[in-house]
Amino acid sequence: MNSIRVSQLLEDREYDLRLTLVAGERGLQRRVNSSRIQKPGLALTGFTEHLHPHRVQVFGNTEVSYLRTLPEERQREVLDSLFQEELACVVVTKDIEPPPALLEACERAGLTLMRTPLLSSQFIQQVQAFLEEALTEASSLHGVLMDVFGVGILLLGKSGIGKSEIALDLVMRGHRLVADDIVDVTRRRPGVVYGAGNPVIRHHMEIRGLGIINIKDLFGVASVRERKKIELVIELHEWDPQQEYDRLGVEDRFMNIVGVDIPLSVVPVRPGRNMTTIIEVAARNQLLKQQGHHSAREFAEQLNRAIAQGAMRRSMGEEVE
């Protein structure tokens, strides 16, 4: 399971969490493994059955006000009991001054206590967005990612097989480059994988004989995009006359990327094959499949019906004779 250190919440600048450390510095190395946030209202009364470990606990005005209604000794008992659980950290919202008992309990438990001026609802929304981004499963692949007719196509193949040249030809035809050479992939939600260009080489492409070119500068902003959902993988192979290639496409193949199965096509490359056109057709065919039309299977079904009808006619003719 993916997780991040609590200290990374303090380091955030992009999501404007505006957190400051109040107590429990020893807990900064604890892990957060869920983007779900909890407000421990009922847990403060002793009902901890649904308290989940390793989650950010948000103390808003309701929780702090309730604590202050309790005698100090009872506050310590409640908090010590609550903090026996493997919590990730505690965040007090609305810049509320934490009760002394809360400060002391966090120090005793080695649990980080932070404060933010944001309202509870606003902080929860922003920290969930931060955690969803930080906890997503990610990897990097060597390949080219293109947006062809709105379909995210990942081109794979060994170095020198012509992936970048094919991508350049696709850009010339009006399609969009997402990433060349290094594709950073992330699983954004169940069953969905996005790819993006590595920040260091984004919008750049290596063409042997020309060197490094900037696609955005050469062809304009409409020729590139920052990220794209990966919907089809095309693996380019050098043509091998001894190898059998799929000629019907009835059976679907898949490639697993960060835990998600993506449709896969293995396409042989040899001189004279117009790879750009083949990839455009693959994109159109993928669009048809997404709409419920599987051309290869429909053809196979028609062929099977024709064969069955022919066999029936022959059988009836034999009976007549």
Side-chain angles (χ1 to χ4, degrees), residues 51-76:
L51 191 67
H52 297 279
H54 308 295
R55 290 190 184 178
V56 176
Q57 305 292 321
V58 173
F59 278 59
N61 190 50
T62 302
E63 288 76 13
V64 173
S65 297
Y66 172 75
L67 273 178
R68 286 180 173 149
T69 66
L70 303 176
E72 288 189 12
E73 185 61 33
R74 180 57 182 159
Q75 289 183 34
R76 285 192 288 270

Side-chain angles (χ1 to χ4, degrees), residues 183-234:
V183 183
D184 293 335
V185 295
T186 54
R187 188 174 64 197
R188 308 294 297 182
R189 58 182 185 272
V192 177
V193 176
Y194 277 84
N198 187 280
V200 177
I201 58 174
R202 187 173 292 158
H203 306 152
H204 290 80
M205 182 183 289
E206 178 195 353
I207 303 295
R208 284 173 172 79
L210 292 181
I212 304 297
I213 59 174
N214 188 311
I215 297 298
K216 183 178 179 181
D217 290 347
L218 283 171
F219 299 97
V221 294
S223 64
V224 297
R225 61 178 303 166
E226 299 300 315
R227 65 176 59 189
K228 183 73 177 91
K229 177 183 174 183
I230 300 176
E231 297 164 278
L232 176 64
V233 178
I234 296 181

Side-chain angles (χ1 to χ4, degrees), residues 305-316:
R305 284 198 297 269
I307 292 172
Q309 290 170 1
M312 185 178 296
R313 283 194 295 268
R314 287 195 298 272
S315 175
M316 292 176 63

